[in-house]
């Protein structure tokens, strides 16, 4: 179900089970984790400098594959706590910039995949929210955090209680994700942006990724965050990309970063 293609410095991971809206069972989660591990190895060897995650077909990912689940026997903690959360943590800490192109359904675990990605571009007609009231279940995979953080408590519970879905355009307008665009432009536009980022200063991008994660997770204040920025900048002084960037500026040419 999971495909990995590496070309031009970009690792493209594809959820390829469109007949079930790319919903994920435990086997698919294991495949996805293996794809991220392989892509991370590519970062270490210089083959990968950015990553794109996408879903094949009409939907990005409709969440967990519950087609064969018997509720009385369901090991929810084994799936969510033992499989999903560790995968999302691994995705979030991927050692290069990551992007997701989201079309159609982005629900449950699918929403978690988006949350764990650095930059998310969505089709205007994407469907995002918490339909789980109809299952007697609740939002998972970090959805409560994202919605409460960006939408506030009232709008979060409104979406959960009513099971209404919001469009990609509304999600971006609400601050959930980065950009919305027509569905027929989503993949081409995203690929173009990712390819450009893959030629950038990878070490500097990685530093910013770590700084932002620390602000989010440790709730840092201005001055503590600034001190961390100072240290990150000092560390970058020793990198080849830093030297190249300054040299290119002084020589009035385009920099050639090698990661």
């Amino acid at each position: 179900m999971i495909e990995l293609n590496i070309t031009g410095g970009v690792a493209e991971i594809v959820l390829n089970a469109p007949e079930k809206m790319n919903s994920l069972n435990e086997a698919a989660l294991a495949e996805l984790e293996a794809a991220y591990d392989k892509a991370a190895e590519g970062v270490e060897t210089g083959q990968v400098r950015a990553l794109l995650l996408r879903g094949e077909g009409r939907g990005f990912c409709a969440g967990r594959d519950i087609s064969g689940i018997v509720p009385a026997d369901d090991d929810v903690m084994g799936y969510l706590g033992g499989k999903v959360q560790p995968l999302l943590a691994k995705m979030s800490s991927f050692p290069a910039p990551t992007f997701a192109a989201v079309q159609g359904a982005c629900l449950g675990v699918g929403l978690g995949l988006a949350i764990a990605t650095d930059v998310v571009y969505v089709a205007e007609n994407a469907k995002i929210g918490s339909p789980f009231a109809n299952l007697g279940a609740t939002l998972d995979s970090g959805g409560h955090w994202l919605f409460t953080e960006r939408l506030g408590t009232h709008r979060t519970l409104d979406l959960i209680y009513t099971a209404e879905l919001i469009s990609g355009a509304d999600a971006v307008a609400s601050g959930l994700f980065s950009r919305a665009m027509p569905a027929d432009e989503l993949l081409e536009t995203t690929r173009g942006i990712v390819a450009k980022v893959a030629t950038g200063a990878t070490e500097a991008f990685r530093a910013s990724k770590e700084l932002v994660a620390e602000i989010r997770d440790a709730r840092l204040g201005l001055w503590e965050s600034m001190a961390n920025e100072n240290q990150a900048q000092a560390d970058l002084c020793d990198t080849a990309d830093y030297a190249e960037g300054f040299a290119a500026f002084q020589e009035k040419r385009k920099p050639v970063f090698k990661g």
Side-chain angles (χ1 to χ4, degrees), residues 178-247:
S178 183
R179 306 187 200 184
M181 58 194 76
D184 59 359
E185 299 176 9
L186 176 67
L187 184 54
E188 181 180 359
T189 300
T190 304
R191 280 176 168 161
I193 293 171
V194 177
K196 182 177 180 181
V197 170
T199 67
T202 304
E203 290 295 331
F205 293 156
R206 186 183 303 181
S208 289
K209 178 171 180 167
E210 291 172 356
L211 288 165
V212 168
E214 193 168 18
I215 292 167
R216 176 197 64 202
D217 295 338
R219 296 293 183 180
L220 299 187
L222 171 61
W223 305 115
E224 189 174 2
S225 177
M226 190 180 298
N228 290 346
E229 288 175 340
N230 297 342
Q231 185 59 57
Q233 195 77 290
D235 293 341
L236 287 169
C237 283
D238 295 327
T239 66
D241 280 352
Y242 194 94
E244 167 63 10
F246 273 70

Side-chain angles (χ1 to χ4, degrees), residues 112-199:
L113 300 181
I115 294 170
T117 303
D118 296 343
V119 179
V120 180
Y121 299 148
V122 297
E124 292 170 346
N125 63 356
K127 296 298 181 184
I128 297 160
S130 176
F132 304 105
N134 298 321
L135 293 173
T138 192
L139 185 59
D140 56 48
S141 303
H144 284 89
W145 176 86
L146 178 70
F147 287 174
T148 303
E149 183 82 2
R150 308 288 171 80
L151 304 177
T153 58
H154 294 285
R155 182 59 173 146
T156 294
L157 291 175
D158 183 8
L159 289 172
I160 290 170
Y161 293 167
T162 63
E164 293 176 358
L165 303 180
I166 59 176
S167 69
D170 287 342
V172 170
S174 300
L176 290 177
F177 298 121
S178 183
R179 306 187 200 184
M181 58 194 76
D184 59 359
E185 299 176 9
L186 176 67
L187 184 54
E188 181 180 359
T189 300
T190 304
R191 280 176 168 161
I193 293 171
V194 177
K196 182 177 180 181
V197 170
T199 67

Side-chain angles (χ1 to χ4, degrees), residues 20-41:
K20 59 178 184 179
M21 298 292 283
N22 301 316
S23 56
L24 301 167
N25 57 22
E26 291 193 8
L29 290 176
E31 287 184 42
L32 187 55
E33 182 174 11
Y36 271 84
D37 286 341
K38 186 69 174 178
E41 291 175 7

Side-chain angles (χ1 to χ4, degrees), residues 21-79:
M21 298 292 283
N22 301 316
S23 56
L24 301 167
N25 57 22
E26 291 193 8
L29 290 176
E31 287 184 42
L32 187 55
E33 182 174 11
Y36 271 84
D37 286 341
K38 186 69 174 178
E41 291 175 7
V43 175
E44 296 305 313
T45 62
Q47 290 180 293
V48 174
R49 299 177 65 187
L51 181 147
L52 168 61
L53 175 66
R54 69 177 183 88
E56 193 64 49
R58 295 183 298 110
F60 172 67
C61 177
R64 184 185 186 189
D65 183 359
I66 61 172
S67 57
I69 297 297
V70 177
D73 300 327
D74 189 13
D75 181 9
V76 173
M77 279 302 298
Y79 179 81

